[in-house]
Amino acid sequence: MKIAAYGFAEDQGKKLGRILKLSRTNPYCLVDFDPNSLPDLLLVFGEEQFQQPPIAELPPSFQSRLILVGKKKPTTTDRPHIGYPLISSRVLSALDRLTSANEEFFQQETTAEIKEQDNQYEKYVEQAVQQQNQPQAEESAKSTGYRVLVVDDSVPMQKALAIELKSQFDQIEIEFADEGLQALDMVQQNHYDFIFLDIMMPGIDGFETCTRMRKIEGLKKLPIIMLSSKTSPLDEVKGIMSGSSTYLTKPIDSAEFQKVMGRITKWIDNFASE
């Protein structure tokens, strides 16, 4: 990920470059600032620099990727800020947070890709229905009596998870939420045994939703399974940091799904008996 700096003294620019190399979660590298070839993130030293033409003339869509560096806090609360002098942990933590907030810039999906993903989910649902209707040579032991919340804005994915859950559990109640804020309202009004939580959703993403859920009394130990269409180690690390219990890649693999559910339900049963 390309990071540029504007308004830094030469020695501080070199120090910033050394700090970026210390990151273990994101591959940051320091590049020269070029308005015609914008970096992924831009660190600006001093709030007065935002009035200078090179920064003031940047496109509005790039403004959310600007970070103020300085001793004084920004006059507006919506601008990310890194205190000065530069401290490695402080710098990397701020960059990681902004990277997560701007994930749509770094993991862009074209309309064609989204359509193809939906097609894959539809095919997956059809296959799951066919498998469900076929006689099984050997049925796995089924658990009963669970209430589940599925948080995902994809209707095909909601259907796919419902099929998987109903094929594994004799009695299960499934509720759905299309986005994070709706899910937060639901978990405060209802009891769930475990939650499936998509990462990429309208509004607040799955990471932020999970973080907020963990702050709610009674949800600190609730199993939360994060869902992602990308097999990214970074997503897994972010999920763990936000409080997720485990991680599944979409479309769901039935064998892997059963393994995860086996671990989750075993933990729930043991926890409930204590």
Side-chain angles (χ1 to χ4, degrees):
M1 184 171 297
K2 297 178 180 178
I3 310 293
Y6 183 85
F8 281 69
E10 184 178 356
D11 61 330
Q12 291 304 305
K14 291 180 179 179
K15 181 178 180 180
L16 176 62
R18 292 193 297 270
I19 290 174
L20 296 181
K21 293 179 181 179
L22 299 175
S23 175
R24 296 182 179 180
T25 58
N26 287 300
Y28 297 125
C29 67
L30 186 64
V31 299
D32 293 332
F33 172 59
D34 181 357
N36 297 316
S37 180
L38 293 174
D40 294 308
L41 296 172
L42 176 62
L43 276 61
V44 181
F45 193 90
E47 194 165 18
E48 66 279 1
Q49 302 289 355
F50 287 89
Q51 307 303 320
Q52 299 299 317
I55 305 301
E57 294 172 0
L58 291 172
S61 60
F62 191 76
Q63 294 299 316
S64 65
R65 289 190 274 173
L66 299 178
I67 304 179
L68 170 64
V69 178
K71 293 181 179 180
K72 297 181 180 180
K73 292 185 177 181
T75 55
T76 58
T77 58
D78 59 347
R79 190 175 300 287
H81 172 253
I82 297 177
Y84 184 82
L86 299 177
I87 298 174
S88 300
S89 59
R90 181 189 296 167
V91 172
L92 295 176
S93 176
L95 292 178
D96 289 344
R97 287 197 304 272
L98 197 61
T99 298
S100 176
N102 286 273
E103 193 163 9
E104 68 274 17
F105 289 107
F106 311 126
Q107 298 181 349
Q108 291 183 359
E109 294 180 311
T110 64
T111 302
E113 288 173 333
I114 294 173
K115 185 176 181 180
E116 176 61 25
Q117 187 183 89
D118 285 341
N119 289 337
Q120 289 178 357
Y121 289 154
E122 292 287 1
K123 291 179 181 178
Y124 170 69
V125 172
E126 292 176 4
Q127 292 173 356
V129 171
Q130 292 173 1
Q131 292 175 358
Q132 187 180 34
N133 294 332
Q134 292 176 355
Q136 301 296 319
E138 181 179 350
E139 291 190 1
S140 58
K142 294 185 178 182
S143 301
T144 62
Y146 295 114
R147 189 179 190 186
V148 183
L149 175 62
V150 174
V151 189
D152 197 308
D153 62 321
S154 168
V155 174
M157 194 61 207
Q158 291 181 0
K159 292 179 180 178
L161 277 170
I163 290 171
E164 291 286 359
L165 288 166
K166 289 178 180 178
S167 69
Q168 188 161 352
F169 301 101
D170 286 330
Q171 297 177 13
I172 189 162
E173 182 180 350
I174 308 170
E175 297 184 3
F176 301 96
D178 296 324
E179 47 88 23
L181 292 177
Q182 180 188 4
L184 288 168
D185 287 338
M186 293 175 70
V187 296
Q188 294 188 75
Q189 298 176 23
N190 306 288
H191 165 77
Y192 299 101
D193 293 293
F194 51 93
I195 297 171
F196 290 95
L197 180 58
D198 188 28
I199 291 177
M200 298 298 292
M201 298 183 295
I204 62 174
D205 63 17
F207 300 122
E208 177 63 23
T209 303
C210 188
T211 299
R212 295 190 190 184
M213 283 183 176
R214 289 304 188 201
K215 294 179 180 179
I216 299 174
E217 191 64 32
L219 299 186
K220 297 185 184 299
K221 294 184 177 181
L222 186 81
I224 298 177
I225 304 100
M226 298 208 82
L227 305 167
S228 175
S229 58
K230 296 176 170 57
T231 55
S232 166
L234 176 58
D235 280 346
E236 294 190 51
V237 172
K238 289 180 180 177
I240 292 171
M241 293 178 66
S242 63
S244 70
S245 306
T246 189
Y247 178 92
L248 279 173
T249 302
K250 303 189 294 184
I252 302 299
D253 176 78
S254 293
E256 181 63 23
F257 181 85
Q258 290 180 13
K259 290 180 182 178
V260 170
M261 285 295 95
R263 295 197 303 268
I264 292 295
T265 54
K266 183 178 180 180
W267 186 92
I268 292 173
D269 294 342
N270 290 338
F271 180 73
S273 64
E274 292 179 356

